[in-house]
Amino acid sequence: MSNMKKPGTKKPLDYKHIRENLSDLIKILKYADSDLAFDFLYLLLSEKESLDIANRLAIIKMLEQGVVQRTISKDLGVSLCKITRGSSELKRPNSAFKRGLAVLKGTA
């Protein structure tokens, strides 16, 4: 009995599973028109998840514009810890955040 999984407990996803499914999501978003991409993503995520992702993107965009962390925290109602994570990633060489923001700016 001790080897059995309790009902309702979640099995952690492994990297292969995460990569496969996120790659499928990227393919859908890449080839869909903007209305379908938005609707698909909005329905896939809960309202809280949508807000969290929107805030995370807003955080890195504001950081890239030079907005100070305390102002971001106040404006978006997020913790400094979440902002620091974005700030740290933006400082890394070849950061995916920086490269992604360059795509938004049309400079990639």
Side-chain angles (χ1 to χ4, degrees):
M1 278 303 258
S2 63
N3 292 344
M4 293 183 67
K5 196 172 101 171
K6 292 181 183 177
T9 57
K10 294 180 182 179
K11 178 182 174 188
L13 298 179
D14 61 29
Y15 181 79
K16 180 182 175 192
H17 182 79
I18 293 168
R19 181 153 185 106
E20 176 185 321
N21 285 286
L22 287 181
S23 293
D24 286 345
L25 175 61
I26 291 164
K27 186 175 185 178
I28 291 167
L29 297 177
K30 181 177 180 179
Y31 293 105
D33 63 43
S34 61
D35 288 336
L36 174 58
F38 178 86
D39 290 345
F40 188 89
L41 193 56
Y42 192 74
L43 291 172
L44 184 66
L45 303 170
S46 70
E47 191 171 318
K48 182 180 180 332
E49 290 166 334
S50 294
L51 177 61
D52 286 345
I53 290 171
N55 276 343
R56 287 178 184 189
L57 184 54
I59 288 166
I60 61 171
K61 287 173 15 183
M62 292 170 82
L63 286 167
E64 185 74 1
Q65 294 168 358
V67 179
V68 296
Q69 291 188 22
R70 292 204 182 275
T71 301
I72 296 170
S73 177
K74 181 182 168 199
D75 289 354
L76 297 179
V78 296
S79 70
L80 288 172
C81 181
K82 284 186 181 180
I83 299 164
T84 300
R85 180 176 173 263
S87 177
S88 296
E89 181 58 34
L90 282 169
K91 292 175 185 172
R92 291 178 54 179
N94 204 29
S95 164
F97 282 176
K98 278 189 176 182
R99 291 179 295 149
L101 291 173
V103 169
L104 285 179
K105 292 178 186 175
T107 59

